[in-house]
């Protein structure tokens, strides 16, 4: 494999990262406990996490994790969390959903760096170089998300 095989839209992934063992099929990194006191801004995110958690009932061989990994509520951006990094690097598909009435979050950039397939809900503006179907996959409904997984 050449480095060229890992280049997408001018963005490259390390061959070492591309070849990592990824035993976890799908991960969200959040669940309803994250926004228990902030439910008014996490309805969509909590819905997606619940639906992802239910996937093994339809697909018994699928390994899914919706646990919170690392620190949250701003603490996670002040320190490196080895558990979070390990979870990023051992997951095949990372599903992201934004808070209600909000666009953008660090989880997107961190997930893209991990080398996993990143599935994300639609947003108006994407960071430079991020293109649906090239280096990210945008889902438009739960049915669409499940089909893409």
């Amino acid at each position: 494999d050449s480095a060229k095989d890992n280049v997408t839209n001018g963005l490259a992934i390390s061959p070492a990262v591309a070849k990592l063992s990824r035993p976890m099929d799908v991960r969200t990194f959040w669940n309803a406990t994250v926004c228990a006191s902030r439910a008014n801004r996490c309805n969509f995110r909590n819905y997606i996490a619940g639906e992802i958690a239910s996937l093994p009932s339809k697909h018994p061989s699928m390994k899914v994790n919706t646990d919170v990994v690392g620190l949250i509520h701003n603490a996670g951006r002040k320190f490196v969390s080895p558990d979070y990094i390990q979870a990023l690097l051992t997951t095949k598909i990372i599903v992201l959903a934004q808070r209600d009435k909000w666009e953008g979050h660090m989880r997107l950039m961190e997930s893209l760096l991990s080398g996993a397939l990143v599935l994300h809900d639609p947003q108006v503006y994407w960071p430079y170089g991020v293109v649906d179907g090239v280096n990210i996959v945008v889902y438009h409904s739960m049915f669409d998300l499940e089909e893409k997984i």
Side-chain angles (χ1 to χ4, degrees), residues 1 5-6 13-22 89 113-116:
D1 294 349
D5 295 334
N6 296 317
I13 183 171
S14 160
V17 171
K19 294 178 181 179
L20 287 173
S21 172
R22 296 178 184 268
L89 295 175
L113 286 170
S114 76

Side-chain angles (χ1 to χ4, degrees), residues 17-119:
V17 171
K19 294 178 181 179
L20 287 173
S21 172
R22 296 178 184 268
M24 182 59 58
D25 293 319
V26 183
R27 187 183 294 271
T28 62
F29 292 108
W30 78 89
N31 56 44
T33 65
V34 175
C35 289
S37 64
R38 302 171 177 170
N40 63 327
R41 63 184 207 188
C42 296
N43 291 320
F44 178 69
R45 193 182 259 188
N46 290 346
Y47 168 74
I48 294 296
E51 291 295 312
I52 294 298
S54 74
L55 286 176
S57 66
K58 300 174 198 172
H59 310 280
S61 65
M62 187 180 291
K63 294 179 185 173
V64 171
N65 188 306
T66 61
D67 292 345
V68 176
V69 180
L71 303 170
I72 58 172
H73 304 303
N74 296 320
R77 301 299 170 252
K78 296 177 184 171
F79 306 99
V80 174
S81 168
D83 293 338
Y84 177 57
I85 293 169
Q86 181 177 5
L88 284 167
L89 295 175
T90 58
T91 302
K92 293 175 189 131
I93 301 171
I94 298 173
V95 177
L96 298 176
Q98 301 168 89
R99 292 188 320 217
D100 299 348
K101 301 177 186 176
W102 187 264
E103 269 199 8
H105 48 89
M106 293 304 297
R107 295 263 190 244
L108 169 59
M109 302 312 289
E110 294 159 353
S111 297
L112 289 170
L113 286 170
S114 76
L117 171 63
V118 179
L119 297 172

